């Protein structure tokens, strides 16, 4: 299957976006489904949304059966790790980089 983009999607290739896209492509392909990105920086989001800092991506979910959705979400979370959130919304899957720990550098 393929990684596809809804017309008008605007993305900047950050490390977070690249990791999300790779994980999405692999997770959806496991079920022979296309991974369709529906939103990046484009669209209307909450004021402080990570979409506006190129740290969030939305993916289509309506073409997944309920058991496939659960498995895709679990696969996405496993591939992305604890520094990413995977949230099932009514119309899409929202994925964002959201580090939980404080890193001393």
């Amino acid at each position: 299957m393929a990684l596809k983009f809804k017309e008008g999607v605007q993305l900047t290739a950050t490390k977070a976006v690249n990791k999300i896209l790779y994980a999405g492509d692999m997770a959806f392909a496991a079920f022979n489904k296309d991974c369709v990105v529906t939103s990046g920086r484009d669209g209307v989001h909450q004021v402080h949304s990570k979409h506006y800092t190129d740290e969030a991506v939305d993916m289509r979910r309506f073409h997944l059966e309920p058991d496939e959705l659960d498995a895709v979400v679990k696969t996405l979370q496993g591939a992305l790790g604890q520094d990413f959130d995977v949230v099932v919304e009514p119309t899409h899957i929202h994925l964002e980089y959201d580090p939980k720990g404080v890193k001393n550098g």
Side-chain angles (χ1 to χ4, degrees):
M1 300 314 312
L3 178 61
K4 297 182 176 182
F5 299 87
K6 180 179 164 185
E7 187 173 335
V9 168
Q10 298 173 7
L11 292 174
T12 299
T14 63
K15 285 183 182 181
V17 166
N18 287 341
K19 188 169 183 175
I20 290 168
L21 295 178
Y22 180 77
D25 189 34
M26 296 298 111
F28 281 82
F31 293 92
N32 293 317
K33 304 284 182 162
D34 290 330
C35 176
V36 182
V37 176
T38 59
S39 186
R41 181 177 276 267
D42 55 293
V44 178
H45 308 282
Q46 294 178 346
V47 174
H48 298 291
S49 171
K50 295 207 176 233
H51 282 279
Y52 300 124
T53 58
D54 302 309
E55 297 175 298
V57 172
D58 293 337
M59 295 178 179
R60 183 167 290 156
R61 62 165 274 198
F62 71 79
H63 61 307
L64 297 173
E65 298 297 326
D67 60 325
E68 292 173 330
L69 175 62
D70 292 341
V72 165
V73 168
K74 186 175 181 178
T75 301
L76 286 166
Q77 192 64 71
L80 292 169
Q82 67 181 9
D83 285 342
F84 287 80
D85 294 333
V86 179
V87 181
V88 178
E89 300 285 355
T91 60
H92 61 275
I93 302 170
H94 173 83
L95 304 103
E96 71 176 32
Y97 178 64
D98 186 22
K100 308 302 184 280
V102 176
K103 297 177 183 173
N104 295 323

